[in-house]
Amino acid sequence: MERKTVILEVISPEKIANFYKWNAKYFYFYDNNGNVLEYITRYNLDTDSDKIFDSNSIISVSEIVLVFQNIALLSNEIYHRFGATVFPMQPKLYKFIVLGTETGLFILSEEGRDWYPTTLKAKRSWKKVTFRNKGKIKVF
């Protein structure tokens, strides 16, 4: 991946973040619009491969970030409309809430919060999310 873009340091000089509580490893980079993106390996999903990592190794988009001024209110709305519960590997925090499962997460961040591993501030942007849950298609 470093042949294509700069990988951000998480804790100098490390570029791979090890999230023990989530049993996952991440690395971060900027897209061409300056957004922070990440690749995630979730070991609980049993997706081991002996192949060299390339674009065919990408399985899915497993997270979408929703930035809002009042994430507690947004969390309640998503729960009531779609049934997405708090992700059990991440306790609810004042400025950061994770809803869903390892195969699909809503990351809720309060507007203005630092976006890890940078000091960029989270800001709202337009997005449309379409997902399937228990055989039903939902648009948010």
Side-chain angles (χ1 to χ4, degrees):
M1 190 65 183
E2 286 187 307
R3 289 187 303 233
K4 305 267 183 195
T5 190
V6 173
I7 306 301
L8 302 175
E9 290 184 346
V10 290
I11 299 174
S12 187
E14 297 298 320
K15 295 181 179 181
I16 306 268
N18 192 346
F19 285 87
Y20 298 101
K21 287 172 41 176
W22 290 34
N23 195 24
K25 290 188 179 182
Y26 299 54
F27 68 85
Y28 300 88
F29 57 99
Y30 292 110
D31 71 6
N32 60 343
N33 293 315
N35 297 301
V36 178
L37 301 181
E38 63 187 343
Y39 276 142
I40 307 166
T41 299
R42 296 184 190 280
Y43 294 104
N44 292 343
L45 295 180
D46 192 27
T47 55
D48 290 344
S49 174
D50 292 332
K51 296 179 183 177
I52 294 174
F53 181 84
D54 64 15
S55 61
N56 293 316
S57 304
I58 300 169
I59 297 169
S60 67
V61 174
S62 66
E63 298 179 359
I64 184 91
V65 175
L66 303 173
V67 177
F68 206 69
Q69 289 178 337
N70 184 337
I71 63 169
L73 180 66
L74 180 61
S75 172
N76 288 336
E77 180 181 346
I78 291 171
Y79 170 74
H80 290 295
R81 286 182 67 187
F82 309 116
T85 58
V86 173
F87 184 51
M89 294 181 183
Q90 176 64 48
K92 239 178 168 179
L93 301 173
Y94 176 67
K95 296 182 178 189
F96 186 80
I97 300 172
V98 181
L99 304 175
T101 67
E102 287 192 278
T103 57
L105 294 171
F106 289 112
I107 308 293
L108 310 183
S109 176
E110 184 176 284
E111 193 168 16
R113 178 183 168 273
D114 284 353
W115 200 252
Y116 184 81
T118 73
T119 56
L120 292 175
K121 302 298 182 197
K123 59 183 178 179
R124 295 174 75 167
S125 62
W126 185 92
K127 55 187 69 71
K128 177 180 176 181
V129 179
T130 303
F131 66 100
R132 290 186 181 153
N133 183 22
K134 299 180 182 173
K136 295 180 183 176
I137 296 175
K138 308 216 182 212
V139 178
F140 182 62

